[in-house]
Amino acid sequence: MNSIKLNTPMQKMTFHDMDIFIKRDDLINEDFSGNKARKFYYFLINEFPNIKKLVSYGSNQSNAMYSMSVLSRLKGWEFEYYCDHISSLMLENPSGNYKSALDNGAKIINLEGKTRPNLVSTDEILYIPEGGYAQESEYGIKLLADEINEWIRLQDDDTFKIFLPSGTGTTALFLQKHLEYPVYTCACVGDEKYLKQEFFGLESNEQNHPIILQTYKKYHFGKLYKNLYYLWLELKSKTMIEFDLLYDPIGFDTILSNLKIFEDSKIIYIHQGGIKGNLTMLQRYKHKYES
Ligand SMILES: *Cc1c(COP(=O)(O)O)cnc(C)c1O
């Protein structure tokens, strides 16, 4: 693997008459990028001489699963990952993050109704919770906050608001904890109440919590929505940047339906990577809306 380059560029774009600065964390590294690279950076740069195996669980198309497979490969660890379900289509024709994780030597266990064993860290096993929802993620996300604080210091004014869409909320939370500017987010997995609970699970001081904006409508994670697909296509053609298809369309849709909040400020939007996972989503979208 080529080097891991943090301190990613900030790229200015104009979208719907708004100045938006994109923090290009998708460019950290081809194999280890976005917020998962930030989250797992702590494990990457520290030595764990006794650890032989990494264990985790989640969906079979998860960006976190793929990044953990890269981490394990680099560290020489076994990687064991539990999924509740894998479709027969995926089992017969592995693709996207699932295929790439298998290529990295991941042992992916399909539970199909069986209960997941109790996963815990031991002397030889490192357990990382689903999606990197863990205190260790703070280390790399603080580095992201430092980079943004420093970048804003060099600008003419400081009327910036930061926006990023959330899954577990880990990235938005630790970003707000270390940023001197307000962080806005929206819930892409579960609802606003779920996201707030996730914040409390990592940080009891509510002062450090990001502001949760309502999504334009209730979106179910991983489902296909025509308006979101067309927004993603518009973003791609106007900015020449490929965004992720699961979180980013909901993120930009949320900005567009809360324009008043961003009226007098410039937006810094965190590109959290995840492009490898687009392949399977794009196949589904094309099949549904372009055939
Ligand atoms: C994992 C992921 C998220 C969600 O990050 P959380 O820290 O869990 O909120 C958002 N966008 C992309 C592209 C991701 O891969």
Side-chain angles (χ1 to χ4, degrees):
M1 184 159 88
N2 298 324
S3 63
I4 303 280
K5 277 203 215 77
L6 299 184
N7 217 345
T8 52
M10 194 76 91
Q11 184 176 342
K12 187 178 175 180
M13 69 172 209
T14 310
F15 190 68
H16 289 240
D17 293 328
M18 286 178 287
D19 282 344
I20 304 185
F21 295 83
I22 309 291
K23 180 65 171 163
R24 297 292 307 271
D25 262 14
D26 53 317
L27 301 179
I28 290 175
N29 181 279
E30 200 189 315
D31 286 331
F32 199 66
S33 79
N35 67 352
K36 304 307 180 294
R38 299 281 183 180
K39 288 178 181 187
F40 303 143
Y41 193 63
Y42 172 85
F43 297 108
L44 183 74
I45 64 157
N46 284 293
E47 299 284 338
F48 301 86
N50 297 323
I51 295 297
K52 296 196 163 52
K53 180 159 84 176
L54 170 63
V55 296
S56 188
Y57 70 94
S59 102
N60 66 69
Q61 279 305 322
S62 146
N63 295 328
M65 170 192 68
Y66 171 67
S67 299
M68 283 189 262
S69 77
V70 174
L71 176 69
S72 302
R73 198 190 68 207
L74 292 172
K75 290 289 199 178
W77 298 334
E78 280 176 64
F79 177 41
E80 203 169 271
Y81 185 85
Y82 292 82
C83 294
D84 285 335
H85 171 73
I86 305 175
S87 72
S88 49
L89 203 71
M90 188 60 67
L91 288 169
E92 282 157 26
N93 253 316
S95 68
N97 282 328
Y98 177 70
K99 177 176 191 309
S100 304
L102 289 176
D103 290 345
N104 282 329
K107 188 173 157 207
I108 302 178
I109 295 139
N110 186 13
L111 291 165
E112 295 298 345
K114 284 195 260 35
T115 41
R116 190 193 322 134
N118 190 27
L119 305 177
V120 286
S121 288
T122 67
D123 287 349
E124 297 190 345
I125 296 174
L126 172 66
Y127 162 59
I128 301 181
E130 178 174 18
Y133 178 72
Q135 291 296 337
E136 287 88 345
S137 296
E138 180 169 3
Y139 182 86
I141 298 168
K142 178 181 182 298
L143 297 177
L144 171 61
D146 293 345
E147 290 171 25
I148 296 169
N149 282 328
E150 186 54 31
W151 183 85
I152 296 178
R153 250 192 289 285
L154 300 173
Q155 307 304 305
D156 292 335
D157 66 276
D158 63 356
T159 55
F160 287 94
K161 288 178 174 164
I162 289 77
F163 186 91
L164 70 166
S166 279
T168 64
T170 311
T171 314
L173 178 89
F174 288 132
L175 206 51
Q176 181 66 92
K177 188 169 173 190
H178 296 287
L179 260 185
E180 296 151 24
Y181 306 89
V183 173
Y184 291 80
T185 190
C186 62
C188 301
V189 180
D191 59 8
E192 285 84 19
K193 212 175 133 217
Y194 156 83
L195 184 55
K196 190 69 187 169
Q197 278 170 358
E198 293 283 283
F199 289 160
F200 272 117
L202 293 172
E203 170 71 41
S204 57
N205 181 0
E206 210 176 344
Q207 301 255 304
N208 288 331
H209 290 189
I211 301 156
I212 303 173
L213 299 179
Q214 290 273 345
T215 51
Y216 172 62
K217 62 179 190 187
K218 177 88 202 92
Y219 294 113
H220 294 273
F221 190 65
K223 263 195 158 183
L224 306 183
Y225 295 92
K226 198 171 188 175
N227 62 318
L228 296 183
Y229 180 48
Y230 281 92
L231 182 56
W232 182 84
L233 287 173
E234 185 193 355
L235 272 165
K236 196 170 178 187
S237 68
K238 286 193 179 152
T239 69
M240 307 302 282
I241 300 173
E242 180 170 350
F243 288 91
D244 138 276
L245 260 165
L246 278 170
Y247 299 90
D248 288 325
I250 301 177
F252 279 99
D253 189 60
T254 303
I255 292 176
L256 292 175
S257 59
N258 288 276
L259 284 178
K260 267 217 125 16
I261 288 172
F262 302 103
E263 222 167 36
D264 300 316
S265 52
K266 286 170 249 160
I267 300 173
I268 293 174
Y269 187 96
I270 316 293
H271 193 319
Q272 301 180 88
I275 303 310
K276 212 173 208 79
N278 278 355
L279 193 80
T280 41
M281 279 296 279
L282 205 51
Q283 280 169 351
R284 291 171 62 208
Y285 265 125
K286 283 187 173 154
H287 180 73
K288 185 155 183 188
Y289 296 121
E290 287 180 17
S291 57

